[in-house]
């Protein structure tokens, strides 16, 4: 396993095997992920890692709110900007279509799609889920630090034979999460991350998730070869 292989084989897993994860394996990956870079070396990431009963408890607190729909939600932040523009809008749409296609849930089956969305709040049955938080006064630079830490961790998990799915979806139940996990008052909840072993045969873990060619994102200037 090298970095390229870890980056290329990581994917968001939404169907996990019923197989526990050893604490020692998690701690080793997390100790290494501490070496992620952060502006000023603030290391602004914090997380609560749950398995077993405490995870079941949080899931049931959130499950109790689901029937209220959006009225029962208290979002920590806007997950996507309002009026998301191109090309981001199309990318987001394409991901949803590819995922629901793999599950054979057509667009007309609104209830089916919603039920699948709520699988987020079961952490897709992963044995472990971590919940990431940071002080409320941290800004975009520190949020990007959290992202770097998350990616380091996800790659290290791949190296350890594990898989993950980062989950912003949980943030719509930020209040319940902060209360249940007793997060510090002055912290904001960012995202969950389901962790476990992938079911390699599950279609939802197999659909292609294309990436834009680098020339859509990057500009090279001043290179003699150009
Ligand atoms: C910060 C973050 C939050 C995410 N939140 C969710 C989520 O709530 N539910 C979900 O199913 N996928 C979530 N994803 C996964 C993305 O959909 C996924 O990373 C993207 O489609 C690229 O696919 P890949 O991770 O399989 O390569 C999230 C990813 C990131 C980085």
């Amino acid at each position: 396993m090298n970095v390229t292989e870890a980056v290329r084989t990581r994917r968001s897993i939404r169907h996990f095997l019923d197989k526990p994860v050893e604490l020692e394996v998690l701690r080793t990956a997390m100790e290494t992920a501490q070496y992620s870079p952060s502006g000023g070396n603030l290391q602004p990431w914090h997380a609560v890692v749950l398995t077993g009963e405490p995870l079941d408890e949080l899931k049931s607190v959130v499950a109790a709110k689901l029937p209220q729909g959006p009225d029962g939600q208290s979002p920590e932040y806007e997950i996507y900007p309002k009026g998301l523009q191109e090309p981001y809008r199309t990318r987001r749409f394409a991901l949803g279509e590819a995922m629901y296609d793999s599950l054979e849930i057509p667009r007309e089956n609104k209830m089916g799609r919603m039920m699948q969305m709520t699988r987020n709040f079961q952490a897709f049955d992963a044995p472990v889920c971590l919940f990431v938080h940071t002080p409320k006064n941290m800004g975009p630079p520190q949020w990007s630090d959290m992202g770097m830490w998350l990616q380091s961790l996800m790659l290290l998990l791949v190296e350890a034979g594990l898989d993950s799915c980062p989950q912003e979806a949980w943030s719509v139940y930020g209040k319940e999460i902060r209360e249940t996990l007793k997060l510090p008052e002055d912290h904001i909840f960012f995202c969950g991350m389901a962790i476990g072993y992938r079911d390699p045969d599950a279609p939802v873990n197999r659909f292609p998730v294309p990436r834009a060619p680098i020339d859509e994102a990057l500009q090279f200037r001043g290179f003699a070869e150009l």
Side-chain angles (χ1 to χ4, degrees), residues 10-12 14 95 120 124 165-169 209 211:
R10 184 212 58 79
R11 63 171 288 147
S12 294
R14 299 180 179 90
L95 169 77
N120 270 289
F124 303 112
C165 184
Q167 296 184 276
E168 283 156 341
V209 186
R211 297 303 203 265

Side-chain angles (χ1 to χ4, degrees), residues 20-35:
V21 177
E22 281 179 29
L23 176 60
E24 202 46 41
V25 178
L26 286 176
R27 287 190 68 96
T28 302
M30 284 164 186
E31 269 159 22
T32 306
Q34 284 298 102
Y35 287 85

